[in-house]
């Protein structure tokens, strides 16, 4: 586990989170009006969450956490970024949607939560979370440990095959890579995706030409590594689905909206897996 790189990522996410939320307008009003940031894939996999305890790992600024809470769940959101958790806490108070948020490195949270006997019906994470994990096995064991018997783990994630490309669809990154990948910092992917990642009616200009002053470090995990880690942690994989589109995110040039903010490659390009979803349960 590379905690010094986690700390570097914390600083990078603190800077990026301010830029991201600057484009999203009055999010409290959006939630007060009944809004939700969940896509159909998450809603279907989560199922009926009314009355259930849901742990949302790497929850970012809490928008999806509050969307789950609106459906009747008791939600705890955890994220490494101070800015993200501060924003999520304010958004919960201002929107009137109750949820609890805690700032912590996910591995530290696993240790503390296990020590106090914490258990949940569902552990959930989504969209760009696994690349920030330096120890996949420890993560999978932590997820399993915090599930009640019969509890479920649900993840919707960008497909690692898609992440071998640069923004111009040229092969650039190794799919099989055991070393941390240094980056210039978490970018403003919200601005780059335009209305793709804005659930409100119209995006706000917000921060312009954002450049992150803090470098970041990512980790590459293939589909086989993810499924194996969860299985070795004692979880039974119930389903695994792949999708030829991304929800909201436009990481590559020429991406087009298929409807419902499902972003696909340009016309004429062969379909490839850009996103996947997995559900697993604890016996």
């Amino acid at each position: 586990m590379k905690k010094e790189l986690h700390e570097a990522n914390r600083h990078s996410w603190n800077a990026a989170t301010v830029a991201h939320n600057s484009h999203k307008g009055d999010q409290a009003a959006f939630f007060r009006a009944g809004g939700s940031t969940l896509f159909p894939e998450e809603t279907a996999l989560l199922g009926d969450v009314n009355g259930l305890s849901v742990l949302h790992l790497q929850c970012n600024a809490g928008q999806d956490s509050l969307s789950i809470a609106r459906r009747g769940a008791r939600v705890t959101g955890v994220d490494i970024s101070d800015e993200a958790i501060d924003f999520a806490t304010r958004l919960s108070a201002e929107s009137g949607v109750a949820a609890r948020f805690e700032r912590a490195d996910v591995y530290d949270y696993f240790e503390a939560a296990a020590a106090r006997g914490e258990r949940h019906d569902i552990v959930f994470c989504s969209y760009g979370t696994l690349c920030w994990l330096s120890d996949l096995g420890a993560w999978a064991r932590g997820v399993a440990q915090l599930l009640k018997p019969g509890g479920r783990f649900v993840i919707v994630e960008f497909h690692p095959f898609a992440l071998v490309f640069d923004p111009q669809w040229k092969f650039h990154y190794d799919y099989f890579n055991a070393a941390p990948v240094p980056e210039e910092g978490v970018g403003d992917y919200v601005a780059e995706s335009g209305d793709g990642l804005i659930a409100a009616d119209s995006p706000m200009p917000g921060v312009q030409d954002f450049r992150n002053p803090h470098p970041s470090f990512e980790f590459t995990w293939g589909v086989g590594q993810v499924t194996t880690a969860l299985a070795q942690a004692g979880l039974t994989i119930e389903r695994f689905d792949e999708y030829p589109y991304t929800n909201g995110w436009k990481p590559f040039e020429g991406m087009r909206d298929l409807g419902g903010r499902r972003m696909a490659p340009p016309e004429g390009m062969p379909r490839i897996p850009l996103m996947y979803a997995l559900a697993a349960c604890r016996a």
Side-chain angles (χ1 to χ4, degrees):
M1 199 177 302
K2 298 176 170 58
K3 297 299 286 290
E4 71 281 2
L5 301 187
H6 299 184
E7 276 299 290
N9 289 339
R10 180 174 69 86
H11 291 294
S12 195
W13 272 105
N14 281 344
T17 297
V18 175
H20 297 168
N21 282 312
S22 73
H23 308 295
K24 297 182 179 182
D26 190 340
Q27 296 183 65
F30 170 76
F31 280 105
R32 287 196 299 269
S36 172
T37 57
L38 296 175
F39 285 90
E41 289 79 9
E42 298 104 89
T43 302
L45 280 168
L46 286 165
D48 183 4
V49 298
N50 188 45
L52 300 184
S53 174
V54 177
L55 174 63
H56 186 184
L57 297 175
Q58 296 163 275
C59 68
N60 197 266
Q63 293 91 347
D64 285 357
S65 308
L66 297 181
S67 297
I68 296 170
R70 282 192 66 90
R71 300 177 64 223
R74 303 185 307 277
V75 177
T76 298
V78 178
D79 198 89
I80 198 170
S81 166
D82 314 76
E83 287 286 348
I85 291 301
D86 286 349
F87 185 93
T89 302
R90 292 196 307 273
L91 184 58
S92 176
E94 293 171 5
S95 67
V97 182
R100 186 178 78 85
F101 293 98
E102 182 171 335
R103 196 221 70 80
D105 185 313
V106 66
Y107 297 102
D108 294 337
Y109 189 85
F110 286 149
E111 184 177 348
R116 59 180 177 257
E118 183 177 318
R119 298 291 185 271
H120 298 275
D121 297 294
I122 296 175
V123 174
F124 171 72
C125 57
S126 63
Y127 302 115
T129 56
L130 298 186
C131 64
W132 306 106
L133 301 172
S134 62
D135 188 331
L136 196 67
W139 165 81
R141 292 188 295 273
V143 166
Q145 191 172 32
L146 294 187
L147 283 171
K148 297 176 181 178
R152 300 171 63 243
F153 171 64
V154 173
I155 181 172
V156 182
E157 180 60 286
F158 300 120
H159 204 291
F161 177 73
L163 303 182
V164 304
F165 298 105
D166 70 9
Q168 288 72 47
W169 294 104
K170 294 179 180 178
F171 286 110
H172 182 73
Y173 299 99
D174 286 338
Y175 184 93
F176 302 99
N177 181 26
V181 179
E183 300 285 358
E184 292 182 355
V186 181
D188 192 356
Y189 53 79
V190 176
E192 293 165 1
S193 296
D195 59 1
L197 289 174
I198 306 295
D201 290 337
S202 59
M204 303 288 289
V207 174
Q208 299 296 300
D209 302 318
F210 173 72
R211 294 292 181 271
N212 202 315
H214 303 287
S216 60
F217 299 87
E218 299 183 20
F219 304 88
T220 304
W221 303 113
V223 167
Q225 291 172 297
V226 174
T227 53
T228 297
L230 292 169
Q232 289 180 341
L235 300 182
T236 299
I237 296 172
E238 298 177 319
R239 66 179 300 155
F240 179 87
D241 299 307
E242 297 173 290
Y243 308 92
Y245 54 81
T246 64
N247 279 337
W249 187 38
K250 298 179 184 177
F252 310 113
E253 66 180 19
M255 295 192 77
R256 57 200 170 92
D257 192 341
L258 299 177
R261 294 185 289 138
R262 290 175 168 172
M263 306 301 172
E267 287 277 5
M269 182 175 169
R271 295 195 301 167
I272 60 173
L274 296 180
M275 191 174 78
Y276 71 88
L278 182 151
C281 68
R282 177 180 174 180

